[in-house]
Amino acid sequence: PLVFLDFETTGLDTQNDRIVELAFVRLQPDGSRTALVRTVNPGVTAMSRNATRITGIHTNDVCGLFGDGGKKPAQPLRRIGPELLAFLGDSDLAGFNQVAYDIPLWLAECKRHAIPFELGSRHQVDVRILFNALETGWDRFLMGPRNLAAAVRHYCGREHTGAHGAEADTQATVDVLLALLQRHPGLPRDVTGLAKCCQEHLRDRDEETAQAGG
C-alpha cells in the first residue's frame, strides 16, 4: 500500500509551524482507498491571517472548545499519534511536494510530540516532482504555476474543488498520479521504480543548480 498525505498548517515554516488538519489516504494495489482525516489542535500557535485566508481554518476552529466546525474539539497531535502510526503502518509514502514540505514538517511535529515515527527505508513518491520532470514544455505564463490545481486540470481534465482542504488535496493527488501513469506509459509501474525516478530527477535538478551556480 501507498499512503498519500497532506497537511494544512499554521504557516509555511516546516520546523516551527504546526499541523491543524491532516489527511492520510491509503491506496491499495487493487485501487481501493481508505481515508483518515483529522483536525488537530496546534497548541500554543495561532493561525496566521495568511494561513486562514488559504485554508479557511480559523484559530477558534482548532484551538477553541468547539474545534472541527463545532462537531468535536480538535485533538492535540500527540493524542492521536498512535492512531496515525497504526494507519501508516510500514507503508511507503506519497504526496504533492512532500519531499520539500510535508515530510520535513511531519518529522518535526513527530519529534515535538514524541511520536515514534521512523522514515527508515520507506519509498517516497512525490507527484509534484514527476509533474515538473515530465511536463518540460510547460509555459508558466500561459498555463500558470505547476501547482496541484494545475496538475488536476492538466491530467484529470477538471477543476480542483476543495483546494487547500487536506482530504480534497490528498484525494486529488491520488487522482493525478493515476492519470499521470496513464498518460506516460514509460514510467515505472511500481512504487520502488517511481520513488527511484523521483530521486533521479531531484539529483539531476540539484546538479544543474550547482553547475549554474559555479
Side-chain angles (χ1 to χ4, degrees), residues 174-201:
V174 180
D175 293 342
V176 168
L177 179 60
L178 296 178
L180 185 151
L181 288 170
Q182 289 184 340
R183 185 171 299 192
H184 297 279
L187 280 174
R189 318 309 287 183
D190 61 286
V191 171
T192 302
L194 288 172
K196 183 179 179 181
C197 186
C198 289
Q199 291 174 347
E200 290 174 348
H201 286 302

Side-chain angles (χ1 to χ4, degrees), residues 104-176:
L105 175 77
W106 170 243
L107 292 175
E109 283 279 61
C110 285
K111 181 178 181 180
R112 184 177 294 119
H113 294 283
I115 297 172
F117 172 82
E118 296 290 340
L119 190 59
S121 60
R122 298 172 194 260
H123 297 298
Q124 293 193 64
V125 179
D126 193 319
V127 179
R128 185 172 186 259
I129 293 173
L130 296 174
F131 181 27
N132 288 335
L134 293 167
E135 305 305 329
T136 56
W138 190 271
D139 189 324
R140 181 183 178 90
F141 293 100
L142 294 177
M143 305 169 77
R146 284 194 254 200
N147 54 25
L148 180 57
V152 171
R153 191 178 306 115
H154 184 68
Y155 288 109
C156 304
R158 59 178 170 82
E159 295 299 319
H160 176 32
T161 56
H164 301 298
E167 183 174 17
D169 284 354
T170 312
Q171 295 284 5
T173 301
V174 180
D175 293 342
V176 168

Side-chain angles (χ1 to χ4, degrees), residues 11-206:
L12 298 178
D13 187 329
T14 61
Q15 298 306 302
N16 295 303
D17 279 306
R18 310 293 178 89
I19 295 170
V20 295
E21 185 181 65
L22 62 85
F24 294 167
V25 175
R26 183 188 296 114
L27 177 66
Q28 299 285 6
D30 63 3
S32 61
R33 305 182 191 184
T34 307
L36 174 68
V37 183
R38 293 290 181 269
T39 305
V40 179
N41 187 329
V44 298
T45 305
M47 295 289 292
S48 68
R49 289 185 178 181
N50 189 52
T52 294
R53 180 183 61 81
I54 293 171
T55 66
I57 299 172
H58 296 263
T59 298
N60 286 341
D61 295 331
V62 290
C63 295
L65 294 176
F66 302 101
D68 199 15
K71 298 176 184 178
K72 59 181 179 180
Q75 299 293 310
L77 194 65
R78 64 179 179 277
R79 189 170 297 175
I80 62 174
E83 178 187 25
L84 302 178
L85 293 179
F87 189 91
L88 286 170
D90 60 356
S91 296
D92 295 313
L93 305 175
F96 196 91
N97 198 32
Q98 73 180 64
V99 170
Y101 184 72
D102 293 285
I103 292 301
L105 175 77
W106 170 243
L107 292 175
E109 283 279 61
C110 285
K111 181 178 181 180
R112 184 177 294 119
H113 294 283
I115 297 172
F117 172 82
E118 296 290 340
L119 190 59
S121 60
R122 298 172 194 260
H123 297 298
Q124 293 193 64
V125 179
D126 193 319
V127 179
R128 185 172 186 259
I129 293 173
L130 296 174
F131 181 27
N132 288 335
L134 293 167
E135 305 305 329
T136 56
W138 190 271
D139 189 324
R140 181 183 178 90
F141 293 100
L142 294 177
M143 305 169 77
R146 284 194 254 200
N147 54 25
L148 180 57
V152 171
R153 191 178 306 115
H154 184 68
Y155 288 109
C156 304
R158 59 178 170 82
E159 295 299 319
H160 176 32
T161 56
H164 301 298
E167 183 174 17
D169 284 354
T170 312
Q171 295 284 5
T173 301
V174 180
D175 293 342
V176 168
L177 179 60
L178 296 178
L180 185 151
L181 288 170
Q182 289 184 340
R183 185 171 299 192
H184 297 279
L187 280 174
R189 318 309 287 183
D190 61 286
V191 171
T192 302
L194 288 172
K196 183 179 179 181
C197 186
C198 289
Q199 291 174 347
E200 290 174 348
H201 286 302
L202 273 180
R203 184 173 61 249
D204 291 345
R205 187 191 66 184
D206 291 343

